[in-house]
Amino acid sequence: MTDADYMRRALFHAQRGTGATTPNPLVGAVVVTPDGVVVGQGRHPRAGDPHAEVLALDEAGERARGATLYVTLEPCNHQGRTGPCTRRIVQADISRVVAAMPDPNAAVDGGGFAELRRHGIAVDVGLLADAAARLNQAFITVQTRARPMVMVKAATSLDSRMAAAPGVRTPLTSRQANRRTQRLRAAVDAIGIGSGTLLTDDPVLTVRDCYRFRPLARVIFDRRLRTPPGARVFSTLDAGPIMVMTTAAAISRQPERAQALTSAGASLIEGAGELGADLRRLLAWDISTLLLEGGAAMHAAAWTAGVVDRVHMVVAPIVLGDDGVKFFDGLPVPLSRLTPVRVETLGPDAWMEADVHGNR
């Protein structure tokens, strides 16, 4: 077994926390003795619980003495909801720490590595850094851009149409692709749609057929306050909060509609009328990942604002024709900005995932 093998194991454990750790990062840790025996493993399960390093060291016990700790993110050296991991590592008499990447949190930012080195612990940084950074892209985005990570998910026809015509509900994807969508929903903090999609599809925006640990927030971007208080989504308040991102002007113009939405269970957020600034307001709700599911105008607005970080596109083997609603509302999406990650065949559909580069 090599250092990379042990780090892959730590990344595996970190990924198991997907959908549960916000606002904290996904972290996995593995303790390995000098003769290559794994004696401790752990992952951070949720905010407020012990960190991955502590759980791995607890499992290792006395066998951690002189061992190597593999961890996917720089150990913290400050007091938060839990104590500093660096102190626990020093107490365990670990001889070497191999970390995939530094912690972008300004409260850490290299301080954890510095403290370990001051205590004579060898520290190696950067092993499988790209994989670790992609796993924690949401945490990195929050720390460096002060907004949630935004993923766009869209279903299109072979001729890049999302609906047969404006305002027409057009189911496109297969049962297999729909199950994959539910898994994606289970992994994010919030689903976002525009008011046009709400009026056309009247979706419930819940996770079905798979387990989700935390409540799922639903965000309706609605500058004109068009959301009807009788929308089906308000029947799902037990699944998580429902936020209507609007403006003070819209609330002032329609006080009765605003009151009706509040009575229906909506939390009205007075946005700034600029998507980037509106997204930053979601951090107060512990939303680090936002899945924008619709519609085309909402996707185009997010792309134009430079806030799309990842794209999930499902292509169905049908043709909708020239009257159909174009993918991203017809906005050109330069392929040079996209790095393909994977393509899956789900029934008759193709699911394509790509990372976006160059956003602010």
Side-chain angles (χ1 to χ4, degrees), residues 172-188:
L172 291 176
T173 51
S174 64
R175 179 168 47 89
Q176 295 92 329
N178 291 341
R179 282 203 299 264
R180 179 70 173 80
T181 295
Q182 296 305 317
R183 286 169 49 201
L184 182 59
R185 286 182 175 185
V188 300

Side-chain angles (χ1 to χ4, degrees), residues 155-181:
T156 78
S157 60
L158 288 173
D159 53 344
S160 298
R161 264 57 177 180
M162 297 177 64
V168 176
R169 188 174 186 274
T170 311
L172 291 176
T173 51
S174 64
R175 179 168 47 89
Q176 295 92 329
N178 291 341
R179 282 203 299 264
R180 179 70 173 80
T181 295

Side-chain angles (χ1 to χ4, degrees), residues 303-349:
W303 184 270
T304 301
V307 297
V308 178
D309 302 296
R310 191 168 294 169
V311 174
H312 294 268
M313 185 167 67
V314 191
V315 181
I318 61 174
V319 174
L320 291 179
D322 293 342
D323 292 336
V325 177
K326 293 181 179 179
F327 173 65
F328 269 40
D329 219 21
L331 193 71
V333 177
L335 295 179
S336 61
R337 296 274 303 281
L338 301 177
T339 299
V341 175
R342 64 174 60 91
V343 177
E344 298 177 61
T345 299
L346 298 171
D349 304 327

